[in-house]
Amino acid sequence: MSPVTPEMINYYTQLLKDLERVKDGSTNALFWMVVRGREEPLTVADVARRLGADPNTAVLRTVLEPAEHAVLEQSDHGVIVLAADVYIDGPDIWARLTENAQAWGFWYLINAANRLFYAADGQLVTEVDILYPEPSGCWGPDPRALDSYLGALRALADQKRTDDQAGVTPPAPYPEWETALATVEAMTGVRLDVDRFARGQQWVRPLGGRLDVISTE
């Protein structure tokens, strides 16, 4: 049985609609990650340093402000990282970020590029293109590490193929991003809400004012 339920998918369908009401176009591209220490909790300052940022420059900022930045929030489940229009990537980043730690997350861009991912102990363990979540569409040292969470995404991909073969046009867009966001909730225990996007949270500028830890390509 998939840990991702229809209720969870419906929740994120409504969340994306609510975010669009807050700011038009705000859901075109999102990045969401939860970072958790293996032996002891990580703090926002810890994660900021691992991303190459100086926590002493922290200011409050919302996710939806127009800038290439990410906001960090402390939670009982780990440090939550949120961004719009950018994503974090690169082997050096994963090596620093997940030293004796784990990270789960999902990002997508306006051009439909996307990845669901799991990183741990210095490397990106598994990546999944959620539009093609079959085993052949999973990469990394352990491409099957997320299999127990992919049931809803694979069922959606099967439904799309069935509809396409039957010439069926769905009455509404397939909930692809919504199902992926629900999958991150299932993996981490964290649920996103509008407040996390609309209120000021800790934001730090990478050292030297550079955004080299955040890729927009």
Side-chain angles (χ1 to χ4, degrees), residues 2-76:
S2 172
V4 177
T5 65
E7 179 276 330
M8 293 165 69
I9 297 170
N10 290 339
Y11 174 85
Y12 284 99
T13 298
Q14 186 61 49
L15 175 65
L16 294 187
K17 291 178 180 177
D18 291 342
L19 287 174
E20 281 294 320
R21 281 193 282 270
V22 172
K23 182 183 177 183
D24 185 47
S26 62
T27 64
N28 288 341
L30 293 176
F31 175 96
W32 174 25
M33 174 171 65
V34 179
V35 188
R36 187 179 301 158
R38 281 200 179 276
E39 297 175 2
E40 58 185 31
L42 293 174
T43 66
V44 164
D46 293 331
V47 173
R49 292 188 190 97
R50 291 181 179 208
L51 290 174
D54 182 358
N56 293 321
T57 64
V59 296
L60 291 182
R61 197 166 194 167
T62 72
V63 181
L64 302 180
E65 291 182 53
E68 293 178 356
H69 68 282
V71 299
L72 284 68
E73 177 189 357
Q74 198 78 48
S75 83
D76 292 339

